[in-house]
């Protein structure tokens, strides 16, 4: 199988990074559970929303993301049996290209650079499986679309869902 895997909110915890930065900068205690069904910027006061949207344009944002639990182990096993590609819409944030590449080198060295797709729209991907947290990427995909749970997509019920990397292992290994 050819398996495409998104980065942010699938293997790299960008959502929690937004929460952590906001809580530190505005001295609040917002939790991921309070955000279910919403983009994080929708949870904060209108006067702070642009600040959230600008996080991803900051140097260092993508290099410091924490791993989604279980992603390394399951992807390493999948890569032994299948063609695994990391596919990230990185062109939305051009300064992220180096950070994302370095992050993958550190945490996923078993996925070679040739299997890393830092792109714009993902509608060009052709393969068997796409694991992503965004409906806009899953909807046009011709293969099996698996929505990886993130706080913002908890109310979406139109795709096969994986709540954890254990779920992915159960579905694909």
């Amino acid at each position: 199988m050819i398996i495409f895997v998104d980065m942010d909110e699938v293997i790299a915890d960008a959502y929690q990074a937004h929460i952590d930065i906001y809580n530190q900068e505005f001295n609040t205690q917002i939790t991921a559970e309070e955000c279910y069904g919403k983009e994080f910027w929708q949870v904060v006061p209108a006067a702070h929303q642009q600040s959230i949207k600008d996080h991803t344009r900051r140097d260092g944002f993508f290099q410091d993301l924490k791993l989604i639990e279980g992603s390394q182990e399951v992807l390493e096993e999948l890569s032994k049996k299948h063609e695994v590609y990391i596919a990230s819409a990185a062109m939305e944030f051009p300064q992220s290209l180096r950070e994302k590449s370095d992050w993958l080198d550190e945490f996923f060295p078993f996925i070679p650079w040739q299997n890393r797709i830092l792109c714009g729209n993902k509608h060009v991907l052709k393969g068997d499986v796409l694991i992503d947290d965004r409906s806009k990427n899953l909807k046009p995909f011709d293969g099996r679309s698996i929505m990886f749970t993130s706080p913002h997509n908890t109310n979406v019920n139109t795709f096969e869902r994986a709540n954890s990397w254990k779920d992915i292992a159960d579905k694909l290994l």
Side-chain angles (χ1 to χ4, degrees):
M1 282 192 298
I2 296 174
I3 303 171
F4 298 107
V5 180
D6 180 37
M7 281 186 73
D8 301 328
E9 300 169 44
V10 176
I11 62 174
D13 200 347
Y15 201 99
Q16 188 61 49
H18 286 296
I19 293 172
D20 293 344
I21 292 168
Y22 182 82
N23 283 342
Q24 181 179 9
E25 290 180 352
F26 292 96
N27 196 29
T28 60
Q29 299 296 318
I30 296 174
T31 65
E33 292 75 20
E34 295 172 69
C35 304
Y36 284 175
K38 299 176 183 164
E39 299 293 338
F40 182 60
W41 62 267
Q42 295 173 314
V43 178
V44 304
H48 299 169
Q49 290 178 357
Q50 190 59 49
S51 169
I52 304 304
K53 293 175 184 177
D54 290 341
H55 288 172
T56 51
R57 288 175 172 68
R58 292 182 182 184
D59 288 338
F61 178 81
F62 293 96
Q63 74 186 20
D64 295 329
L65 295 179
K66 294 181 177 132
L67 282 165
I68 300 284
E69 183 180 347
S71 60
Q72 282 175 309
E73 299 82 3
V74 174
L75 279 177
E76 188 163 17
E77 289 305 308
L78 283 171
S79 70
K80 291 175 184 175
K81 298 179 178 187
H82 306 288
E83 277 188 73
V84 174
Y85 293 85
I86 301 300
S88 179
M91 292 309 300
E92 185 174 358
F93 311 106
Q95 87 291 350
S96 76
L97 295 171
R98 168 58 83 182
E99 292 179 17
K100 287 184 177 216
S101 180
D102 290 347
W103 191 90
L104 288 166
D105 285 344
E106 180 178 351
F107 294 110
F108 296 89
F110 52 88
I111 297 179
W113 66 267
Q114 296 92 335
N115 288 37
R116 299 174 186 177
I117 304 166
L118 302 177
C119 60
N121 288 323
K122 294 183 186 175
H123 72 275
V124 299
L125 299 176
K126 302 292 182 211
D128 300 299
V129 178
L130 172 60
I131 303 167
D132 205 299
D133 64 298
R134 299 273 171 196
S135 297
K136 69 179 183 179
N137 297 324
L138 295 168
K139 188 175 182 181
F141 187 69
D142 287 334
R144 182 176 178 187
S145 295
I146 300 175
M147 177 170 275
F148 197 86
T149 299
S150 178
H152 71 84
N153 68 28
T154 56
N155 295 334
V156 177
N157 298 313
T158 51
F159 300 99
E160 179 180 358
R161 184 172 289 277
N163 293 314
S164 67
W165 277 94
K166 182 187 178 315
D167 287 354
I168 296 292
D170 290 345
K171 293 172 184 293
L172 301 177
L173 285 175

